[in-house]
Amino acid sequence: MIMNIGKGIKKLYSFHGGIYPKENKYSADCPIENMPLPKRAVIPVIQNSKEKCKPIVSRGNLVIAGQKITEPLNKISVPSHSPVSGKVIDIHPIFHPLIQKPVDSIIVDSDGKDQKKTSVNIHDDYFRYSPKDLVSVIYEAGITGLGGSCFPAHVKLSPPRDTEIDVVVVNGTECEPYLTGDDQLMQEKAKEIIEGAKIIMYILNAPKCVIAIEDNKPKAIEIIKNIIFHEPNISLAVLKTHFPQGSEKQLIKTLFNKEVPKGQFSHSIGIVVDNAATCYAVCRAVKAGESLISRVITVSGKGIKTPKNINVRLGTPLKDIAAFCGGTNPGFAHAVMGGPMSGVIQSSLDVPVVKGTLGVIFLTKDEMIKRKYSDCFRCGRCIRACPAKLFPNQLSIFIENNRIQESVEFNPSECIECGCCSYVCPANRPIFQQIKTVKNKLEALI
Ligand code: SF4
Ligand code: SF4
């Protein structure tokens, strides 16, 4: 279904492969609850593996919430801010839940007062400011893509000069099973999300915006549909639920039947995609002067007593979140940060929420894919399911036999880390994990 037809897109398409896993959205329609402040917040100085930042506070410094505590060292990094007021008690390496290795982290003990930095940086009438000024506000607020990519928002909003952006896409698909935080945010903060999208359109001089939502979110669809009714340049595309439709390239294929050229960004074909939560953060940064110190996440899985959608300060340890949701159930096996398809299994609940945390899924043994695997018997299911049109079976065999150079010829860097191959494999081969390991090794060499 397309609303405001003719103002945005006229027809919907589909993408290669993908799967239709059981949704298990246990926290659907649970109102967003504000989690209490953490007693101790842990902020890794980098939020994704490509960032380079240094701490600008030292042990013993007093800080307030929203105060900048790291400074970027390259153009594809953003600053981070203290999520609480209190005292920096140490800076030392902790295990990063998404990068999966120790990263220098700033440890702040909260004083419980939640003193916040009052911003002078409020741009309520944003259209009076230049796009460059607004990009600078978004950069200073430390905003990264909140759909899991953690890609700095200011970089996406600064395409090369002379690049014409035809359309901004607000990604409200949230196609991973279990995850419901974006759905709930769209239900409760639709106006701010649309306002954020308008700011992005203004910055990019984009004439159109399409909000894409999967059809398993009827309440969010209804709310957004009503708000955009009088918006001539914003349309709503309701998509059939299909994983991994929320992945940028697959979403663009579904909406516009266009392929993003290999190795290029979507702006090269005139499209910029931003997650609904990112649009919300952009709105709060520009119109309220707020830095990114909290985010909405899903807490779900049969391993947690009360699944919820929560607004949580960055740096909060997963063990505090488990306690806030009533504790874990008998049979709880592992927490996964992100969705169960493409998320990262955590070996400890001491790790903190970071900007790229979409959710924390507490899985029981029954919910986890069995790990005992056998040889590939060349059924071809993984090839048919791979949205990136790769040969996951071939990659898996090469990687298993440590033939990394030969695996490179099968383009592991094009893998979008969706996990579809592992999901469909009847031999239970850990294909996705194998490819991810090789991708990380290859990226480290660049
Ligand atoms: S190879 Fe990568 S892109 Fe293809 S199905 Fe597996 S995880 Fe997804
Ligand atoms: S799905 Fe599994 S068994 Fe089938 S071809 Fe792929 S790797 Fe081999």
Side-chain angles (χ1 to χ4, degrees), residues 375-382 393 421 424-427 429 431:
D375 286 347
C376 165
F377 45 85
R378 300 191 178 274
C379 68
R381 286 191 203 177
C382 57
N393 57 340
C421 47
V424 298
C425 178
R429 293 178 64 77
I431 318 169

Side-chain angles (χ1 to χ4, degrees), residues 386-388 390 392 415-421 432 435:
C386 178
L390 301 177
C415 168
I416 58 166
E417 302 184 11
C418 64
C420 291
C421 47
F432 157 54
I435 298 174

Side-chain angles (χ1 to χ4, degrees), residues 2 5-13 255:
I2 306 164
I5 195 160
K7 311 283 182 353
I9 47 177
K10 296 181 174 67
K11 185 179 164 193
L12 294 172
Y13 303 86
L255 291 172

Side-chain angles (χ1 to χ4, degrees), residues 122-182:
I122 293 172
H123 299 71
D124 200 23
D125 46 354
Y126 61 87
F127 37 84
R128 292 183 191 276
Y129 296 85
S130 71
K132 202 174 159 202
D133 286 346
L134 297 177
V135 170
S136 166
V137 171
I138 290 163
Y139 163 79
E140 285 294 333
I143 298 176
T144 59
L146 296 181
S149 72
C150 228
F151 190 74
H154 72 280
V155 179
K156 240 184 196 182
L157 296 178
S158 311
R161 211 176 277 176
D162 302 331
T163 306
E164 277 191 25
I165 303 300
D166 302 319
V167 59
V168 168
V169 176
V170 177
N171 186 350
T173 50
E174 198 169 50
C175 59
E176 278 251 14
Y178 292 83
L179 297 183
T180 57
D182 280 358

